[in-house]
């Protein structure tokens, strides 16, 4: 026969084990989660690692490298979106500004050019698909000769497939140019760009023109 006092001790022991068994995983579980862009570290693990290469989010056309981890900090440089890793983590962990997380990064091609970028604009290519969703490019058979759209007085040929790309030369209404199939057209998250070759009074030029400007 089990004495009432002993039965009470056993019951308390079982309840204590059950509580500890539930509490321990609950305390450890948040640390297994990566911090979101707007979650202060301490209840989660950093989203990225030191020396990790990162890409710009597909829906972001460009990011600014800032002098300090703040939206009000001065801009050091502008980095245009690309489908490849563009930035590398130079400082770990991230810095919380009271609103969002910031990472100190440098260019993959030149880590000496560094600054702070908000986590919301960055991602790991091994986790998120790198190709931005968008409509298909025009079904053009290249190469072919074209002119700019009659609705435009001129267009700029750019060195990269982006509205922020450096201008190589200018094409005016009536100028003819060749739309090439190589390199392949690129989608910048907003529109398609085609690689073209033109002969103008300034000489031979090659670069990208937005699809909507091609007639």
């Amino acid at each position: 026969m089990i004495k009432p006092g002993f039965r009470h001790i056993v019951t308390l022991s079982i309840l204590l084990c059950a509580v500890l068994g539930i509490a321990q995983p609950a305390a450890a579980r948040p640390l297994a989660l990566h911090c979101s862009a707007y979650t202060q570290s301490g209840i989660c693990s950093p989203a990225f690692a030191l020396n990790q290469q990162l890409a710009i989010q597909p829906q972001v056309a460009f990011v600014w490298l800032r002098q300090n981890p703040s939206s009000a900090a001065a801009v050091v440089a502008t980095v245009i979106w690309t489908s490849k890793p563009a930035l590398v983590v130079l400082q770990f962990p991230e810095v919380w500004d009271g609103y969002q997380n910031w990472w100190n990064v440098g260019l993959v091609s030149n880590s000496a050019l560094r600054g702070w970028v908000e986590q919301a604009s960055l991602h790991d290519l091994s986790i998120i698909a790198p190709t931005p969703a968008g409509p298909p490019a025009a079904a053009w058979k290249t190469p072919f000769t074209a002119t700019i759209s009659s609705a435009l007085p001129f267009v700029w040929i750019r060195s990269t497939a982006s509205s922020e790309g450096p201008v190589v030369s200018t094409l005016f209404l009536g100028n003819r140019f060749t739309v090439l199939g190589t390199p392949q057209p690129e989608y910048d998250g907003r529109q398609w760009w085609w690689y073209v070759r033109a002969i103008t009074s300034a000489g031979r030029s090659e670069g990208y023109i937005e699809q909507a400007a091609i007639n």
Side-chain angles (χ1 to χ4, degrees):
M1 180 177 179
I2 300 178
K3 296 181 179 180
F6 181 74
R7 184 185 296 115
H8 182 67
I9 293 173
V10 171
T11 301
L12 287 176
S13 298
I14 293 173
L15 289 173
L16 181 61
C17 290
V19 170
L20 290 176
I22 294 172
Q24 287 178 352
R29 191 174 298 114
L31 295 179
L33 300 175
H34 284 169
C35 298
S36 73
Y38 303 98
T39 305
Q40 184 175 6
S41 57
I43 62 172
C44 50
S45 61
F48 308 127
L50 187 64
N51 298 321
Q52 182 177 355
Q53 292 190 355
L54 304 173
I56 300 172
Q57 287 280 9
Q59 70 273 19
V60 179
F62 65 90
V63 297
W64 283 325
L65 298 183
R66 296 185 180 273
Q67 288 184 349
N68 299 298
S70 166
S71 298
V75 174
V76 176
T78 301
V79 183
I80 306 301
W81 182 89
T82 172
S83 60
K84 300 177 182 179
L87 302 165
V88 58
V89 177
L90 300 179
Q91 180 177 318
F92 183 88
E94 73 278 30
V95 170
W96 172 256
D97 69 355
Y99 172 70
Q100 64 180 330
N101 288 309
W102 292 81
W103 289 85
N104 189 254
V105 297
L107 294 182
V108 169
S109 58
N110 178 16
S111 61
L113 184 57
R114 62 190 295 170
W116 296 88
V117 176
E118 62 275 14
Q119 182 176 313
S121 295
L122 304 171
H123 78 86
D124 179 357
L125 280 174
S126 67
I127 298 176
I128 304 176
T131 304
W140 290 332
K141 184 177 180 180
T142 56
F144 67 91
T145 301
T147 59
I148 69 173
S149 171
S150 59
L152 302 173
F154 68 90
V155 297
W156 284 323
I157 298 179
R158 298 182 181 273
S159 61
T160 58
S162 166
S163 297
E164 302 294 329
V167 175
V168 175
S169 63
T170 304
L171 290 176
F172 295 95
L173 191 61
N175 288 155
R176 292 186 174 275
F177 54 91
T178 302
V179 179
L180 306 173
T182 305
Q184 293 184 344
E186 293 188 26
Y187 186 66
D188 67 359
R190 290 173 173 79
Q191 61 183 332
W192 283 96
W193 294 79
W194 289 77
Y195 197 78
V196 304
R197 178 186 299 136
I199 306 296
T200 67
S201 57
R204 172 171 164 166
S205 299
E206 292 189 6
Y208 290 89
I209 292 179
E210 56 268 51
Q211 179 174 291
I214 299 174
N215 187 18

